[in-house]
Amino acid sequence: MSKNQLEECLNIRYTTLRFCLQFIENTEIVKYKSSALRGGIGEMLLRSHCIADRECEKCGFINECIVQRIMYAKMERLPDFMHSGDGVGYMIECPDEKCRFQKGECMEFLLTLFGKNIVYFSQYLHAIYILGSIGIGTNKSKYKVISIKNFLGEEILKQDIVYMKNYKYQTVNDYVNARLKEKGTCTEGKIIFEAPVTIKYQGEFIQIFIEEAIKASLLRRIYILDCFEMTEQEIYQPETEFPEIIFQKAEQVKQARYSNRKDNLMYLRGIQGIAELAGISGEWERLLLAGEVLHIGKNTSFGFGRFRFI
């Protein structure tokens, strides 16, 4: 495919918001917070909007349900490899693994919204505000939102005033072009997985980094978000081969997650580490930089599959 076709595939709109939360009391919170934040936001949205006592299958308004649109994939065209109801339009990342916070201490997390979900900023913000008064996690850790910044570092929220003029979005192409100017082109590099990546390949979850597994997962992720944007192209087929992994270091990890829906504790598993690459074409350089925004594999809404390509 041509460079223009690649750029068209990467014409995916997104915005990344940096939230700063300040705890209003001494508290202890789980190490991995993305799941707790996601569950809390979903719960607040249900409390604010659900009119059917959470019996979605019986609700005559399910197609208009704002909670379904915000938290689950509302897609006119669903890829055949994707399950209905998967979270697509957002990602929540909280790299801070600190568990104990004193009153007045702060914690940051990132909320990335894709495509149609960009317009639901006010609903996300309201849910995050209300969650602060109720608290997140088993200890109901209460907080207040003290600032929100956009991907340029501009204040969207300051002293409880929302500056919508600073609520901006860009495309993945914009990000890729900026990163290329920053790092320059290269034929060698490495992928650093900063969060667990969970990829199923040939019927099994990978235990080491495999070129074909990473390739397929990244191309599928791009295609899913193209479908979410309702663009018409098919899954992108690169003209060049995926770079060769010449060295890797992979570690198996797991993260505990409590599911409110299933009312039980479960573990999300994946691998973290480094994969050094050789033979990187310009095409794959752009695709890998796009992956920095999009993430790959399962559980991306919890921040899984986050990597840095350097």
Side-chain angles (χ1 to χ4, degrees):
M1 289 190 177
S2 68
K3 182 180 178 181
N4 288 340
Q5 287 172 308
L6 175 55
E7 290 180 348
E8 185 179 354
C9 286
L10 299 182
N11 195 31
I12 299 165
R13 298 168 294 177
Y14 82 97
T15 187
T16 297
L17 310 171
R18 182 177 296 273
F19 283 75
C20 182
L21 312 180
Q22 184 180 62
F23 290 99
I24 61 176
E25 57 193 10
N26 297 344
T27 191
E28 188 168 342
I29 193 171
V30 292
K31 183 178 181 180
Y32 305 114
K33 304 167 184 65
S34 297
S35 177
L37 286 163
R38 179 188 181 276
I41 291 169
E43 175 66 20
M44 297 306 104
L45 287 168
L46 285 169
R47 293 187 186 186
S48 299
H49 299 287
C50 181
I51 61 171
D53 198 26
R54 310 193 184 201
E55 296 187 22
C56 300
E57 298 80 8
K58 299 178 182 179
C59 181
F61 297 98
I62 190 168
N63 291 330
E64 288 73 38
C65 177
I66 196 169
V67 182
Q68 292 285 329
R69 291 180 182 274
I70 290 174
M71 298 303 291
Y72 305 103
K74 188 67 176 176
M75 301 172 68
E76 302 299 327
R77 184 161 58 110
L78 189 70
D80 56 9
F81 54 80
M82 183 180 166
H83 296 292
S84 177
D86 288 348
V88 171
Y90 65 95
M91 294 189 309
I92 298 170
E93 303 170 70
C94 186
D96 191 340
E97 296 183 356
K98 183 177 177 179
C99 294
R100 294 182 179 178
F101 290 85
Q102 299 297 312
K103 179 180 179 179
E105 285 191 291
C106 295
M107 177 187 82
E108 291 188 340
F109 77 92
L110 301 176
L111 173 65
T112 299
L113 305 179
F114 293 106
K116 295 176 289 184
N117 271 33
I118 292 170
V119 303
Y120 295 124
F121 167 65
S122 295
Q123 284 76 20
Y124 282 102
L125 178 58
H126 177 73
I128 292 166
Y129 252 88
I130 298 302
L131 180 59
S133 64
I134 293 172
I136 56 175
T138 55
N139 292 327
K140 302 297 181 184
S141 303
K142 296 180 175 61
Y143 63 81
K144 59 181 179 180
V145 182
I146 61 171
S147 76
I148 306 171
K149 294 182 180 180
N150 65 19
F151 52 84
L152 299 173
E154 300 167 334
E155 298 274 6
I156 298 174
L157 177 79
K158 188 175 182 180
Q159 296 179 344
D160 291 330
I161 300 174
V162 176
Y163 298 93
M164 284 303 292
K165 67 177 183 179
N166 289 338
Y167 183 60
K168 301 173 181 177
Y169 67 89
Q170 61 179 353
T171 68
V172 174
N173 261 324
D174 295 330
Y175 176 86
V176 169
N177 291 333
R179 285 282 285 123
L180 282 171
K181 288 181 181 179
E182 171 191 300
K183 70 182 285 296
T185 59
C186 63
T187 57
E188 294 186 352
K190 57 185 175 182
I191 303 173
I192 302 174
F193 282 94
E194 301 171 330
V197 58
T198 305
I199 300 174
K200 204 168 196 178
Y201 179 65
Q202 295 182 344
E204 301 288 339
F205 288 107
I206 61 171
Q207 306 299 312
I208 60 172
F209 299 116
I210 301 171
E211 289 104 332
E212 281 299 316
I214 295 173
K215 170 186 173 180
S217 182
L218 177 53
L219 295 178
R220 283 186 170 194
R221 179 69 172 158
I222 292 168
Y223 180 58
I224 287 169
L225 286 162
D226 281 334
C227 290
F228 191 58
E229 284 276 36
M230 296 182 67
T231 53
E232 294 301 322
Q233 65 265 5
E234 297 302 316
I235 191 166
Y236 184 76
Q237 300 295 332
E239 295 179 348
T240 53
E241 293 296 321
F242 188 84
E244 178 187 2
I245 296 177
I246 56 175
F247 172 81
Q248 67 171 282
K249 184 177 181 181
E251 175 188 8
Q252 298 181 43
V253 295
K254 64 179 181 179
Q255 290 189 9
R257 179 206 168 205
Y258 182 80
S259 172
N260 284 321
R261 181 181 294 183
K262 297 181 179 179
D263 192 26
N264 67 356
L265 183 67
M266 61 180 65
Y267 288 93
L268 304 177
R269 302 175 187 271
I271 57 174
Q272 278 183 255
I274 298 173
E276 294 188 6
L277 307 176
I280 304 171
S281 66
E283 179 182 38
W284 275 105
E285 189 171 27
R286 293 188 70 87
L287 287 164
L288 288 167
L289 288 172
E292 290 185 336
V293 175
L294 304 178
H295 300 191
I296 62 173
K298 296 173 64 66
N299 304 316
T300 52
S301 60
F302 302 122
F304 269 46
R306 182 179 76 248
F307 68 83
R308 186 80 169 164
F309 172 52
I310 62 174

